[in-house]
Amino acid sequence: MNDRLNDRLNDRPNDRTNAGPAAARTRALGLVFPPADHSYTAMQLDFIGRVAEAAQAHDYDVLLTTGKEVDDPPFQRILTDRRVDGLILMEIRLEDARAEHLTALGFPFVSIGRPRREDSWWVDMDWAALGRGCVRHLAELGHRRIAFVNRSEAFFRIGYESAHRGLDGYNQGMAELGAEGRAYFCGDDDAAGRACLERILRDDPGTTAVVSINEAALGGMYRALTRAGRVVPRDFSVVHLAAGPWAESVTPPLTAADYPVDDICRIAVQLMMERLRAPDTPPRHVLLKRLITLRSSTGPVRPVPGVHP
């Protein structure tokens, strides 16, 4: 199917696979956003709106489409119908077939997320540094038995880069602490979060803290702690790698890096504009580093009654 797609692209008139200033005629960018397994989170929806606003500042419209794989019909249509001058990809995998395919075609794209290949244009958070920083923060509060709550096993196995790099940072932090880490896969909903936290406490009742990268599961994790009689942060600390404004609205407010949605979307669109103006420019990468904002979900370690320290 990829060969047929290549043929269709090459046969079309006014070829714009290496779009430059003269070729940018649609005044539109495509935002490729994989479909939600359940429902989109507030942060995901915020990305869509912020990309549109950033594009409008350059007098560009945004066409939203879904697509996890190269052969997904929406992804094929946006390429073969020449509806956009360039694509912004989200939910990036370490080995992302969409990025590989667009690179082979010479079709301009920028990814929000960092694929392994170095010849891509991308903007991303430093997830590994955040994972390590979360562990170091908890260690400074005296915690040693710290679990990691990741995305689902399916997300991890297909290579979602934030899930892998966040885990790498957590493992590095635990190794520096001289402690053994325990990482858990967790689905993106309240029920999965509750079940995951219950399992963590069954596996090691002496666990006193969790580092999480799964915002959709947070509510269930909080409820599981309440059911277990663990008060946050008196008896148990929770830290998230990065969160949106909602971190202030949960109870207790969540210690997490503030996810710079505005900056990421603005930079992604700016990189896209640079690519369209000068197609031969070497790839540019922007890796954003953020510090954890301390709120009320983390506190000094408190030994668990009846459990050996």
Side-chain angles (χ1 to χ4, degrees):
M1 185 174 291
N2 289 345
D3 290 338
R4 294 199 303 273
L5 178 57
N6 290 342
D7 291 341
R8 291 175 67 187
L9 282 166
N10 292 332
D11 289 342
R12 293 185 66 89
N14 298 320
D15 183 270
R16 293 187 294 109
T17 55
N18 290 297
R25 297 190 179 94
T26 70
R27 305 299 299 180
L29 303 178
L31 178 61
V32 183
F33 207 109
D37 290 334
H38 299 282
S39 60
Y40 290 120
T41 67
M43 185 181 293
Q44 289 172 323
L45 294 174
D46 201 18
F47 266 107
I48 296 171
R50 298 303 183 187
V51 167
E53 290 174 0
Q56 287 170 5
H58 296 272
D59 196 27
Y60 264 76
D61 297 323
V62 170
L63 176 61
L64 178 66
T65 189
T66 59
K68 289 183 178 180
E69 308 294 343
V70 170
D71 291 337
D72 287 350
F75 188 73
Q76 292 182 44
R77 282 195 298 270
I78 205 168
L79 289 175
T80 57
D81 293 348
R82 300 295 186 183
R83 299 179 180 183
V84 297
D85 298 331
L87 291 176
I88 296 175
L89 302 182
M90 296 197 64
E91 301 287 339
I92 294 298
R93 306 175 189 180
L94 292 172
E95 309 293 342
D96 199 296
R98 299 169 303 169
E100 298 286 342
H101 185 64
L102 292 171
T103 299
L105 291 176
F107 196 95
F109 76 96
V110 171
S111 62
I112 296 178
R114 179 171 32 143
R116 277 207 177 103
R117 62 180 307 144
E118 289 301 316
D119 58 348
S120 295
W121 293 64
W122 52 260
V123 55
D124 199 11
M125 290 276 284
D126 192 340
W127 294 105
L130 281 172
R132 180 171 175 259
C134 288
V135 172
R136 293 183 69 179
H137 166 61
L138 292 169
E140 289 169 356
L141 294 171
H143 296 274
R144 294 295 182 272
R145 291 156 88 163
I146 305 165
F148 183 79
V149 177
N150 208 327
R151 302 288 298 277
S152 71
E153 185 172 4
F155 270 60
F156 189 83
R157 289 195 181 280
I158 62 177
Y160 272 78
E161 63 97 14
S162 57
H164 281 260
R165 291 196 167 100
L167 176 60
D168 289 344
Y170 163 80
N171 286 334
Q172 183 181 355
M174 294 299 288
E176 293 169 351
L177 187 59
E180 183 177 350
R182 292 182 296 114
Y184 294 81
F185 296 121
C186 181
D188 294 346
D189 56 58
D190 277 7
R194 183 171 61 250
C196 182
L197 202 287
E198 289 171 350
R199 182 184 170 193
I200 288 171
L201 295 181
R202 284 197 305 271
D203 289 350
D204 180 7
T207 304
T208 60
V210 155
V211 174
S212 174
I213 196 173
N214 192 325
E215 64 173 282
L218 181 67
M221 291 164 55
Y222 268 18
R223 279 187 277 279
L225 287 168
T226 299
R227 290 178 60 182
R230 304 280 188 102
V231 177
V232 179
R234 186 193 68 187
D235 307 309
F236 201 96
S237 288
V238 179
V239 59
H240 205 273
L241 269 70
W246 57 267
E248 297 279 2
S249 64
V250 298
T251 304
L254 185 65
T255 293
D258 295 323
Y259 201 100
V261 174
D262 285 353
D263 289 343
I264 286 178
C265 294
R266 175 181 52 79
I267 292 168
V269 172
Q270 181 60 44
L271 290 174
M272 189 76 259
M273 294 299 106
E274 292 179 19
R275 262 202 102 164
L276 293 175
R277 286 195 299 267
D280 295 329
T281 301
R284 286 227 297 128
H285 315 144
V286 179
L287 185 62
L288 300 177
K289 297 181 180 292
R290 289 293 186 269
L291 298 176
I292 299 167
T293 298
L294 303 183
R295 298 187 178 92
S296 304
S297 67
T298 54
V301 67
R302 183 181 182 189
V304 180
V307 177
H308 189 275

